[in-house]
Amino acid sequence: MFKTLLLCSFLLTLCTSVSRANASDYAYYGFEPDIVTNYVAVKKKMGYVRLTVELMVAGDDLSIVEHHAPLLRDAIINIIGQQSEAKVKSIKGRAEILLQCEEQVKELLIKETGKPLIKKLLFTQWLDN
């Protein structure tokens, strides 16, 4: 019993240290200032979204992503600007927009650098009217 407990403890420690090593290899690039853009509104009022976007990047590639930030920001703004009000205001729609933005950012980075460079795109704050 004691040997099994000791083995489980060792394996848990090993798994935790491996995941920590991998997590420390990444950095986050945040677009400053927050992205504010319009979307296609149904009513006569203007619809807008304010969001905070973070890119999960391998630590070595952070400066490259930072160099291409204006291009990536423009792509995100263009994608959101084409969305319907229903999509912007629904949780499922936001998830679809997030995936679309992530795919576009990766495509642009592949075109510019030959590699996707980002691991994940995150919306850390989303405010819409």
Side-chain angles (χ1 to χ4, degrees):
M1 178 73 175
F2 180 71
K3 288 181 183 179
T4 305
L5 185 59
L6 186 60
L7 180 62
C8 288
S9 175
F10 173 73
L11 291 175
L12 182 62
T13 305
L14 182 63
C15 290
T16 305
S17 64
V18 168
S19 65
R20 280 190 197 135
N22 289 338
S24 67
D25 294 341
Y26 291 99
Y28 290 89
Y29 176 79
F31 291 95
E32 290 292 329
D34 287 351
I35 294 175
V36 179
T37 187
N38 296 327
Y39 60 84
V40 180
V42 177
K43 301 174 186 174
K44 291 187 179 188
K45 68 175 184 144
M46 180 83 61
Y48 72 91
V49 176
R50 177 181 177 188
L51 61 142
T52 304
V53 179
E54 303 277 335
L55 301 175
M56 185 177 176
V57 183
D60 300 338
D61 298 330
L62 187 60
S63 62
I64 299 169
V65 170
E66 188 174 2
H67 174 75
H68 293 287
L71 175 67
L72 305 178
R73 181 185 189 91
D74 181 61
I76 293 168
I77 290 170
N78 284 333
I79 289 169
I80 293 169
Q82 298 171 2
Q83 304 305 315
S84 67
E85 183 174 10
K87 199 169 190 179
V88 167
K89 293 191 179 254
S90 75
I91 300 295
K92 184 180 176 186
R94 290 180 193 174
E96 291 172 7
I97 294 168
L98 176 89
L99 288 174
Q100 191 177 358
C101 288
E102 184 175 323
E103 290 170 4
Q104 181 65 31
V105 165
K106 285 181 179 179
E107 283 180 29
L108 288 170
L109 286 170
I110 289 170
K111 186 177 177 182
E112 294 294 319
T113 67
K115 296 184 279 184
L117 298 182
I118 68 163
K119 177 78 173 168
K120 192 81 179 146
L121 183 142
L122 305 164
F123 292 159
T124 54
Q125 183 179 26
W126 181 289
L127 302 169
D128 60 69
N129 78 330

